[in-house]
Amino acid sequence: MLRVLIWLVLIMPFIAQSKVIHKERSLYRNILVEKNADLLCLKFNEKTRKSTQSCMYQSDPKKLVFNYTKMTFASLLFIDNPKNVLIIGLGGGTLSNTIHELYPNAHIENVEIDPAVIKVARDYFDFVETDSVTSKVQDGRIFIKRAALKKQKYDWIILDAFNGDYIPEHLLTKEFFAEVKSVLTNNGVVAANTFSSSKLYQHESATYFDVFGDFVNVVTDKDSNRIILAGFHAMPTEQQIAERVKRLTPKLAPYDVDMQLLSEHLFYTKGNQDWPKDTKVLTDQYSPANLLNYQ
């Protein structure tokens, strides 16, 4: 409780100073861009609350704002030099921009259902598009279905789609994860941005395990986000992780990503499953994600 009060005291001056510099109603949601001193944020204004989707320091665009974004780069402890990257859910384009800077020769496909979000990312958040960095307006599941039919494969698949309340239900099922697995290369990894709180945690874990087998949770004590890393064939050895931390640390430092810290927060589920064995797997017929999220 004391930590919450201290946090409120610290952020209240900034909340008061926030200024809406762009507002629009898209097909899916109310979209806001708020400026607060040096911080620029994309927010979805829902009926009951605002949810922050992406933020950028205008004076230092490289420096990542959110902890979950930083945790996503724990993926690089499992893959080397990704050539083909798929990102479901664009936000302000932060992940795409960072990956493009780290791996300028990689082909990055961003899939976003809301065309208004792509436009805002371009206009306010310096979202970079090139011949090798593309954006497509489409539902993520439809995109992956079509990618599977075309035999496309990705080394790194990042699932970061949110509707303002939680992950869309059809992107949280056994059937969807099987489709994701079908477009993952043999040495690839799936990184999913989700949460470590609510009853949904157990169902998500059981569903990922059902499709991918044992996976890794990346959780730090800074917030309730977790990144699920799945699809890899074997857990890297301590020596492999240490070598990758050493190699990646100078590359990620400008983005305020502490690779050593991330390496210390990899929780492998093999022999450490923290959900009941009889937990119901989420399917296309049973996926009450938004209801479970509030339990």
Side-chain angles (χ1 to χ4, degrees):
M1 184 63 182
L2 179 60
R3 183 182 297 178
V4 173
L5 290 174
I6 293 172
W7 179 77
L8 286 171
V9 169
L10 289 172
I11 69 165
M12 281 305 293
F14 296 100
I15 293 175
Q17 295 170 12
S18 295
K19 178 183 178 182
V20 176
I21 61 172
H22 177 78
K23 178 168 59 175
E24 68 176 284
R25 173 66 185 173
S26 76
L27 290 171
Y28 299 94
R29 52 182 69 93
N30 291 309
I31 296 174
L32 302 174
V33 179
E34 291 187 358
K35 180 175 171 54
N36 180 351
D38 190 39
L39 196 64
L40 197 66
C41 291
L42 167 65
K43 298 186 177 183
F44 294 162
N45 193 4
E46 304 296 326
K47 291 180 180 179
T48 58
R49 66 188 179 99
K50 289 181 184 177
S51 59
T52 304
Q53 304 301 310
S54 185
C55 287
M56 178 181 75
Y57 296 111
Q58 291 184 287
S59 64
D60 190 2
K62 281 191 175 185
K63 185 178 179 181
L64 299 178
V65 177
F66 291 126
N67 194 42
Y68 85 84
T69 313
K70 299 174 187 180
M71 290 194 298
T72 302
F73 288 94
S75 306
L76 299 178
L77 299 173
F78 292 76
I79 51 174
D80 292 308
N81 194 25
K83 298 288 197 304
N84 292 290
V85 182
L86 175 61
I87 303 174
I88 304 296
L90 179 66
T94 301
L95 279 168
S96 180
N97 284 358
T98 304
I99 295 168
H100 176 56
E101 290 180 0
L102 290 170
Y103 303 100
N105 295 321
H107 184 259
I108 304 169
E109 293 185 72
N110 293 277
V111 180
E112 169 59 51
I113 196 171
D114 192 341
V117 170
I118 296 177
K119 186 176 185 302
V120 166
R122 290 169 178 158
D123 293 346
Y124 293 93
F125 293 90
D126 301 331
F127 171 47
V128 174
E129 292 170 285
T130 68
D131 290 342
S132 60
V133 180
T134 61
S135 62
K136 187 176 184 64
V137 178
Q138 196 166 73
D139 178 274
R141 185 159 183 182
I142 293 173
F143 181 91
I144 287 178
K145 280 179 180 288
R146 293 178 178 175
L149 290 172
K150 291 184 281 188
K151 309 296 183 184
Q152 291 174 268
K153 295 286 185 177
Y154 300 91
D155 307 305
W156 190 6
I157 300 175
I158 300 172
L159 304 179
D160 192 28
F162 280 79
N163 59 18
D165 285 326
Y166 204 69
I167 303 166
E169 293 181 0
H170 68 299
L171 303 183
L172 264 181
T173 68
K174 173 181 177 178
E175 292 85 352
F176 172 63
F177 294 154
E179 292 163 359
V180 170
K181 187 177 181 180
S182 74
V183 297
L184 188 68
T185 60
N186 287 334
N187 296 315
V189 66
V190 176
N193 174 28
T194 179
F195 291 94
S196 57
S197 58
S198 88
K199 192 174 180 180
L200 186 55
Y201 175 93
Q202 298 175 3
H203 294 274
E204 281 183 319
S205 297
T207 307
Y208 272 95
F209 179 76
D210 188 80
V211 175
F212 293 103
D214 285 301
F215 57 88
V216 165
N217 282 317
V218 187
V219 182
T220 69
D221 58 2
K222 292 183 179 179
D223 54 33
S224 62
N225 285 93
R226 69 164 166 164
I227 297 294
I228 293 175
L229 301 178
F232 54 88
H233 291 297
M235 186 72 181
T237 65
E238 289 186 10
Q239 182 178 348
Q240 287 174 322
I241 290 175
E243 289 172 352
R244 286 172 175 165
V245 167
K246 184 177 180 179
R247 184 172 70 250
L248 291 165
T249 291
K251 292 184 67 173
L252 274 295
Y255 305 94
D256 196 29
V257 177
D258 186 337
M259 295 304 295
Q260 180 61 43
L261 177 69
L262 293 180
S263 72
E264 296 168 0
H265 287 80
L266 304 177
F267 301 100
Y268 192 29
T269 60
K270 188 172 185 179
N272 295 292
Q273 294 181 16
D274 59 353
W275 62 91
K277 290 184 178 180
D278 60 350
T279 300
K280 197 166 185 178
V281 169
L282 299 172
T283 68
D284 286 345
Q285 287 71 43
Y286 177 80
S287 184
N290 293 322
L291 291 177
L292 288 167
N293 187 38
Y294 291 107
Q295 294 184 15

